[in-house]
Amino acid sequence: MPMRYFAGDSSALGDLISILRGRGLAVLSYRLWGDLPVFGEVESLRDLSIGYSDVQGPASYRLVRDERGFFRHSYYSPKYALHPPIQDIYEASNGLRAVPARVDTAPMALFGIKPCDLAAIEVLDRVLESDDFYRARRSAVAYIVVEECVEPGDTCFCGSTGTGPAASGGFDVAYARLEGRVLFRAGSERGLRLLEELKLGEAPGDLVERYDEVMEEARRKSSRLPPLDAVIKALEDSAASEGFWREVSARCVGCANCNMVCPTCFCTEFIDSADLSGRARRQRQWFGCLSYTYGQVAGMHFRPELFMRYRHFVLHKFVFYQRQIGLPGCVGCGRCITWCPMGIDLGEVVSRVVSHGSG
Ligand code: SF4
Ligand code: SF4
């Protein structure tokens, strides 16, 4: 499809939300719930987190009211909508017949998601392709609208993982907010029809030029890791360096926050419960490989020491996913850095692995 750019202002974003809601879709985006930055349903432009900026650093997150600021994300990602933290799997009553739980398949649109989170959905699509519950939720997504990251945060490294700051595929509409104007482009025929409904004009040349400049600068800012090939090779070579992994994980307390906030972590455990009325149910809830109990099997433990669990997390993200699904499992969103209570910076760890290997 030849690239066509359209221009509007932020009211066009509100119109796009109205069009999607007019089609009976729940529109889900990053939004504020009181003071909490969450991922949930929005009804209008007012609900989007425009006018706020998230200032992120290792173990640090501040939400700042800033009309000219740029909001990236919080601990919530679209994973909450597609692979919820807790999900009913089976229900059973006195007859002991277990029936699969109903999955909410109300149609939805993901709106304004960042390119790293779009890339995370591609990872989940591959990993969970045979998971009926994920597939049912994923099939309910009728449109994906992406907001390109004109201003990556200090913890972001999507430029290094090739997952941002611009969106490269798998979306219907992408937009970038640039100095009071909004530049739109379509990523699918359906997206193009949506943009035609907005009745926007073709974007002027100066806006497209500005977009190219801003995205180039954003790419530079978010490319703080060594080249990905070097990272993968160094991580593979480092696996046996126990002393190195003990040292880089020395501050880790095994809380598994990094697993919980990561948009590509998908592991779950099962919980069975019954009540006095004779009803029982099985649920699954997110579980993380950094937790001690994750590695307990039949009285044994396959990663008893914390450095083993941290090493597994990092190698899984960059090496094992690549082997299993042909994509890195890290999309460079930086959430595990911000929400790690000990301020462990995955970008720094990975850079140290490369310098350790070449040193
Ligand atoms: S490992 Fe960290 S930076 Fe990478 S995708 Fe997960 S949360 Fe984001
Ligand atoms: S790396 Fe940080 S967030 Fe992850 S388990 Fe260790 S202390 Fe918790």
Side-chain angles (χ1 to χ4, degrees):
M1 200 168 59
M3 185 62 71
R4 286 171 64 195
Y5 291 102
F6 300 87
D9 57 25
S10 55
S11 67
L13 297 176
D15 294 343
L16 193 48
I17 293 173
S18 299
I19 290 172
L20 293 168
R21 283 175 54 80
R23 293 185 182 178
L25 304 173
V27 180
L28 307 183
S29 185
Y30 315 100
R31 62 160 301 164
L32 295 187
W33 200 265
D35 287 344
L36 289 180
V38 300
F39 190 80
E41 185 164 0
V42 295
E43 293 182 358
S44 69
L45 185 59
R46 252 194 347 266
D47 292 335
L48 297 182
S49 34
I50 293 176
Y52 286 85
S53 179
D54 52 316
V55 182
Q56 302 197 35
S60 159
Y61 186 94
R62 269 187 314 123
L63 198 59
V64 179
R65 187 92 180 97
D66 177 1
E67 282 312 320
R68 298 172 62 86
F70 183 73
F71 181 87
R72 283 155 289 267
H73 51 55
S74 70
Y75 46 86
Y76 277 79
S77 69
K79 186 173 81 168
Y80 274 76
L82 303 177
H83 181 53
I86 191 150
Q87 165 89 56
D88 288 350
I89 301 291
Y90 286 107
E91 290 161 352
S93 55
N94 275 334
L96 293 182
R97 213 171 70 80
V99 288
R102 206 183 64 79
V103 184
D104 178 2
T105 53
M108 57 183 146
L110 304 180
F111 192 92
I113 66 169
K114 296 298 180 296
C116 56
D117 282 345
L118 175 69
I121 293 173
E122 192 183 349
V123 172
L124 293 179
D125 283 352
R126 295 201 195 183
V127 174
L128 298 175
E129 66 175 345
S130 54
D131 181 288
D132 291 345
F133 294 91
Y134 177 81
R135 276 215 321 268
R137 293 289 292 160
R138 182 68 175 90
S139 312
V141 177
Y143 289 93
I144 297 184
V145 178
V146 180
E147 175 170 41
E148 300 189 294
C149 252
V150 294
E151 210 183 307
D154 292 342
T155 50
C156 301
F157 53 88
C158 58
S160 296
T161 47
T163 48
S168 54
F171 61 90
D172 297 298
V173 170
Y175 67 87
R177 286 186 290 132
L178 296 158
E179 294 140 19
R181 296 183 286 180
V182 185
L183 183 78
F184 292 89
R185 61 190 172 97
S188 69
E189 290 295 340
R190 300 179 307 160
L192 186 58
R193 286 197 292 280
L194 269 184
L195 290 180
E196 284 167 353
E197 257 184 81
L198 282 176
K199 302 197 182 345
L200 301 167
E202 293 275 338
D206 73 307
L207 184 59
V208 178
E209 266 174 39
R210 185 72 190 123
Y211 167 79
D212 288 339
E213 283 167 16
V214 166
M215 294 316 289
E216 187 46 43
E217 176 58 21
R219 197 164 292 112
R220 193 197 54 70
K221 182 176 177 194
S222 59
S223 301
R224 65 187 171 102
L225 263 54
L228 204 51
D229 289 354
V231 168
I232 293 172
K233 170 83 174 58
L235 281 168
E236 282 172 334
D237 293 347
S238 76
S241 299
E242 184 180 321
F244 173 78
W245 284 103
R246 278 189 189 280
E247 194 211 320
V248 292
S249 64
R251 281 183 294 143
C252 177
V253 293
C255 64
N257 262 15
C258 47
N259 294 130
M260 298 302 119
V261 297
C262 178
T264 66
C265 272
F266 57 87
C267 290
T268 51
E269 65 176 338
F270 291 106
I271 306 165
D272 292 331
S273 59
D275 63 34
L276 293 176
S277 71
R279 290 164 53 86
R281 65 179 172 173
R282 167 163 287 186
Q283 294 173 297
R284 70 179 185 193
Q285 73 175 9
W286 291 352
F287 198 21
C289 57
L290 267 298
S291 310
Y292 181 77
T293 51
Y294 181 97
Q296 276 182 318
V297 178
M300 309 285 282
H301 202 297
F302 55 81
R303 286 185 211 111
E305 292 201 60
L306 200 40
F307 87 88
M308 297 173 180
R309 303 201 286 281
Y310 185 76
R311 177 179 61 188
H312 171 76
F313 174 76
V314 180
L315 263 81
H316 192 206
K317 288 296 166 196
F318 288 92
V319 180
F320 307 150
Y321 271 87
Q322 187 74 47
R323 288 186 198 152
Q324 288 161 340
I325 60 166
L327 289 174
C330 176
V331 296
C333 71
R335 285 185 177 92
C336 59
I337 302 167
T338 302
W339 300 100
C340 171
M342 305 310 289
I344 299 172
D345 184 333
L346 178 64
E348 267 177 25
V349 168
V350 161
S351 301
R352 280 191 60 193
V353 174
V354 173
S355 47
H356 173 77
S358 58

